[in-house]
């Protein structure tokens, strides 16, 4: 694959453009807002590439990679001759249907069509397009330029060949794909993420702790393990006889805590406002951009560590 189209030049779309261009592909970037693709998106892409260069994670000069990203004025111009399309327009079902129909009508019949949708099942907007067997969800973690996981989820119509090709392509450009066996709202990452957030809101809302305590539990606790191993392997390594032994000993406690967790907790506007105020004391709104830059640098530092201390099993 040599030419990739990115439809939508917001935070996710321009991050995808960086992923493809960094991997050596020519990228055509389109956005419905005049000047978005050529202005803010290119500036954001450049900042991200400079961050990669500063962290020793960019093989080519920034200008060389930037030259691969070309803003275009229409969807037709973006998808003409493209072998892969990544759609990242706003999370609105009617908009997705309209945009995907236009993409499918104008793209080559063999072109893979992927959506960055965060929660909408692909079957809700991919079924009526031309050649739906080539379409699937490729759901990234925001921003995909920094975080490599992608979730591949086909629809009723997606062919096994399309899934295999998309998985191989994502792996080749440095992403870490997983494949869902069937559709579910929110896919895997968002269901896990928002389940944890719901219980966090419950714990704060009922006065067990403050928002800062929740964040500390993650950053200074769980995340230090989860950055390298997931919850199944955590259980497997936490007992001399592996996961079975861990569950044999702690299974009743696991069930009790799971049943008492409030993933459907009815948080209030007042509780959200309180948490927001607490965060703003520590990170004022005018400091969010600087804090984002700090976060991005930490993510890349962690990626360097994982590269330099490779997993001997995987």
């Amino acid at each position: 694959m040599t030419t990739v189209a990115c439809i939508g030049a917001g935070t996710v779309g321009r991050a995808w453009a960086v992923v493809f261009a960094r991997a050596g592909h020519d990228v055509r970037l389109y956005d419905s807002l005049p000047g978005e693709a050529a202005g803010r998106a290119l500036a954001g892409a450049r900042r991200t590439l400079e961050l990669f260069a500063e962290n020793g994670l960019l093989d080519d000069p920034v200008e060389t990679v930037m030259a691969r990203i070309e803003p275009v004025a229409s969807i037709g111009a973006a998808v003409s001759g493209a072998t892969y399309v990544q759609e990242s327009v706003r999370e609105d079902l009617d908009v997705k249907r309209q945009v995907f129909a236009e993409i499918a009508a104008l793209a080559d019949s063999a072109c893979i069509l992927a959506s960055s949708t965060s929660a909408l099942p692909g079957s809700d907007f991919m079924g009526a397009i031309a050649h739906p067997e080539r379409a699937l969800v490729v759901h990234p973690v925001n921003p995909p330029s920094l975080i490599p996981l992608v979730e591949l989820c086909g629809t009723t119509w997606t062919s096994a060949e399309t899934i295999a090709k998309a998985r191989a392509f994502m792996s080749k450009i440095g992403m870490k794909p997983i494949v869902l066996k069937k559709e579910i709202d929110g896919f895997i990452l968002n269901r896990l993420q928002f389940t944890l957030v719901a219980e966090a809101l419950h714990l704060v809302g009922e006065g067990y702790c403050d928002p800062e305590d929740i964040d500390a539990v993650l950053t200074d606790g769980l995340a230090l393990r989860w950055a390298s191993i997931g919850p199944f392997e955590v259980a497997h390594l936490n007992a001399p006889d592996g996961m079975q032994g861990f569950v044999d000993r702690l299974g009743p406690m696991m069930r009790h805590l799971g049943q008492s967790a409030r993933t459907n907790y009815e948080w209030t506007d007042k509780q959200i406002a309180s948490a927001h105020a607490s965060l703003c004391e520590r990170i004022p709104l005018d400091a969010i951009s600087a804090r984002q830059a700090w976060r991005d640098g930490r993510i890349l530092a962690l990626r360097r560590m994982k590269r330099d201390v490779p997993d001997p099993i995987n």
Side-chain angles (χ1 to χ4, degrees), residues 95-148:
V95 172
K96 297 278 190 190
R97 285 175 178 155
Q98 177 184 345
V99 169
F100 245 82
E102 185 173 356
I103 292 171
L106 297 171
D108 185 85
S109 61
C111 178
I112 292 176
L113 311 182
S115 174
S116 300
T117 178
S118 297
L120 298 173
S123 292
D124 286 357
F125 58 92
M126 294 177 174
I129 67 171
H131 300 289
E133 70 279 356
R134 59 185 168 148
L136 77 164
V137 170
V138 177
H139 171 236
V141 186
N142 189 19
S145 52
L146 301 178
I147 303 177

Side-chain angles (χ1 to χ4, degrees), residues 19-36:
V19 171
F20 298 128
R22 185 168 163 254
H25 298 279
D26 293 328
V27 181
R28 298 197 191 117
L29 183 61
Y30 166 77
D31 194 272
S32 60
L33 296 176
E36 178 72 17

Side-chain angles (χ1 to χ4, degrees), residues 11-310:
T11 302
V12 174
R14 63 175 174 259
W16 270 120
V18 168
V19 171
F20 298 128
R22 185 168 163 254
H25 298 279
D26 293 328
V27 181
R28 298 197 191 117
L29 183 61
Y30 166 77
D31 194 272
S32 60
L33 296 176
E36 178 72 17
R40 189 185 309 173
L42 288 184
R46 181 180 295 277
R47 287 194 298 271
T48 300
L49 289 169
E50 289 171 347
L51 184 61
F52 270 100
E54 292 166 6
N55 283 271
L57 294 170
L58 192 66
D59 294 332
D60 298 318
V62 170
E63 293 303 326
T64 299
V65 181
M66 285 296 302
R68 298 176 186 141
I69 304 174
E70 176 191 2
V72 295
S74 68
I75 288 178
V79 304
S80 177
T83 51
Y84 181 95
V85 176
Q86 186 75 38
E87 167 272 315
S88 305
V89 301
R90 62 190 173 95
E91 196 79 347
D92 181 290
L93 188 56
D94 290 335
V95 172
K96 297 278 190 190
R97 285 175 178 155
Q98 177 184 345
V99 169
F100 245 82
E102 185 173 356
I103 292 171
L106 297 171
D108 185 85
S109 61
C111 178
I112 292 176
L113 311 182
S115 174
S116 300
T117 178
S118 297
L120 298 173
S123 292
D124 286 357
F125 58 92
M126 294 177 174
I129 67 171
H131 300 289
E133 70 279 356
R134 59 185 168 148
L136 77 164
V137 170
V138 177
H139 171 236
V141 186
N142 189 19
S145 52
L146 301 178
I147 303 177
L149 178 83
V150 284
E151 301 179 284
L152 277 55
C153 187
T155 70
T156 305
W157 308 278
T158 309
S159 70
E161 180 184 15
T162 295
I163 295 286
K165 284 184 176 180
R167 184 175 193 171
F169 181 50
M170 287 293 122
S171 296
K172 188 173 181 179
I173 63 175
M175 303 301 280
K176 301 294 183 181
I178 67 163
V179 177
L180 275 67
K181 296 180 179 180
K182 55 185 178 180
E183 287 185 297
I184 187 170
D185 292 353
F187 314 106
I188 305 302
L189 184 139
N190 278 336
R191 293 186 73 88
L192 292 173
Q193 175 177 222
F194 293 129
T195 296
L196 188 151
V197 169
E199 172 63 1
L201 287 167
H202 162 232
L203 294 172
V204 172
E206 295 302 307
Y208 293 102
C209 62
D210 293 325
E212 294 80 7
D213 299 320
I214 295 289
D215 287 351
V217 166
L218 268 293
T219 58
D220 296 326
L222 290 174
L224 294 180
R225 292 190 300 209
W226 287 354
S228 299
I229 58 175
F232 283 98
E233 189 172 345
V234 166
H236 193 59
L237 299 185
N238 275 0
D241 42 0
M243 182 174 182
Q244 186 65 62
F246 181 86
V247 174
D248 288 344
R249 295 178 184 85
L250 300 180
M253 180 189 73
M254 294 166 62
R255 289 186 185 276
H256 168 69
L257 295 181
Q259 291 165 357
S260 64
R262 293 287 303 279
T263 57
N264 62 344
Y265 181 66
E266 292 291 336
W267 42 265
T268 66
D269 291 343
K270 182 178 180 180
Q271 289 166 343
I272 297 301
S274 175
H276 175 76
S278 176
L279 284 163
C280 285
E281 287 182 8
R282 187 163 55 92
I283 308 167
L285 296 183
D286 59 5
I288 283 180
S289 293
R291 188 67 171 175
Q292 288 172 334
W294 172 84
R295 173 205 64 190
D296 293 349
R298 300 268 286 199
I299 290 172
L300 290 184
L302 182 57
R303 288 187 62 175
R304 288 201 316 273
M305 182 277 291
K306 296 181 76 169
R307 178 198 63 186
D308 297 339
V309 186

